[in-house]
């Protein structure tokens, strides 16, 4: 299985006069990990997750390394696009625009598998059933409810059996029961795969009692935030 190790990672966002800096002093994702990131709106949670999902490059990093099967990939240096690694090893449920509106339900559901070269319609059918998703394969995204779209985004992100499952507020549009079913399914799939699971959430009740390690993004100086551990989930 794969693991991701980061030390002294830094990313700076600039836009005219606006400047935002995020530091990640130490963060790891290993098989079986369950981690959740909290933080107030705009604190830098998505920026942290984009880095950890290899969706953007850190500006600097003392160490940013992906290890798998005795091999190590140095992610700290260079500006190489890690798309092939991302496609195979990562499942990322984006907070905004998680689906392609010009693709059908079925095409969206199978996109992650196609990019990873792992087609298996049985896995998709099983995930849809577990998540209570029963839309017809040719349904257009515009004809799905917000909640159906959110669950479909999860199917797309995990159907290729990734080693790292990252979800940015995956239950934001769901009622409490559907949110719990979604989390249960993602936890079960992560367990079945031996994957690491990283979630951003605003809902502390949702993750309580599932043995998550808690992290938070805090602004410790104006425009300068840090991802750091919080207390262990004791519930
Ligand atoms: N290009 C940019 N230049 C400067 N600051 C930026 C830029 N893009 C975003 N920001 C700021 O970076 C900060 C972190 O944004 P990010 O989306 O990571 O926060 P977040 O915690 O995920 O927010 P939310 O809870 O709303 O999803 C925000 O304060 C945002 O305003």
């Amino acid at each position: 299985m794969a693991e991701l190790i980061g030390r002294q990672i830094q990313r700076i966002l600039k836009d005219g006069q606006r400047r935002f800096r995020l530091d990640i002093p130490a963060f790891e994702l290993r098989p079986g990990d369950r981690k959740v990131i909290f933080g107030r709106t705009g604190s830098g949670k998505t920026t942290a997750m984009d880095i950890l999902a290899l969706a953007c490059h850190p500006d600097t990093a003392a160490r940013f390394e992906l290890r798998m099967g005795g091999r190590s990939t140095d992610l700290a240096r260079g500006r190489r696009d890690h798309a092939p690694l991302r496609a195979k090893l990562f499942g990322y449920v984006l907070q905004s625009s998680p689906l392609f509106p010009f693709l059908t339900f079925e095409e969206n559901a199978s996109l992650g598998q196609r990019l990873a070269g792992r087609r298996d319609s049985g896995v998709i059918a099983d995930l849809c059933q577990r998540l209570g998703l029963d839309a017809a394969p040719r349904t257009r995204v515009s004809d799905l409810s917000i909640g159906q779209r959110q669950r479909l985004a999860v199917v797309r992100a995990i159907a290729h059996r990734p080693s790292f499952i990252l979800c940015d507020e995956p239950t934001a549009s769901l009622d409490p029961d559907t949110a719990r079913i979604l989390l249960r399914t993602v936890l079960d799939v992560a367990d079945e795969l031996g994957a690491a699971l990283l979630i951003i959430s605003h809902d502390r009740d949702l993750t309580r009692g599932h043995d998550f390690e808690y992290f938070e993004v805090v602004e410790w100086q104006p425009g300068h935030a840090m991802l750091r551990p919080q207390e262990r989930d004791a519930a």
Side-chain angles (χ1 to χ4, degrees), residues 18-29:
R18 231 162 37 118
R19 191 174 183 278
F20 175 81
R21 171 176 157 181
L22 174 73
D23 284 1
I24 306 178
F27 198 85
E28 281 144 32
L29 282 175

Side-chain angles (χ1 to χ4, degrees), residues 107-143:
E107 289 165 343
N108 268 289
S110 61
L111 189 64
Q113 287 191 346
R114 277 173 42 203
L115 293 174
R118 286 185 196 145
R119 293 302 295 268
D120 187 338
S121 56
V123 171
I124 292 174
D126 175 59
L127 287 172
C128 288
Q129 196 253 324
R130 286 157 81 164
L131 289 167
L133 260 181
D134 56 2
R138 290 178 182 275
T139 307
R140 293 151 58 101
V141 168
S142 56
D143 291 330

Side-chain angles (χ1 to χ4, degrees), residues 86-121:
R86 255 193 339 258
K88 276 205 162 36
L89 298 180
F90 289 75
Y92 189 9
V93 181
L94 297 166
Q95 182 185 19
S96 54
S97 313
L99 298 172
F100 289 103
F102 48 87
L103 299 181
T104 64
F105 177 93
E106 185 183 39
E107 289 165 343
N108 268 289
S110 61
L111 189 64
Q113 287 191 346
R114 277 173 42 203
L115 293 174
R118 286 185 196 145
R119 293 302 295 268
D120 187 338
S121 56

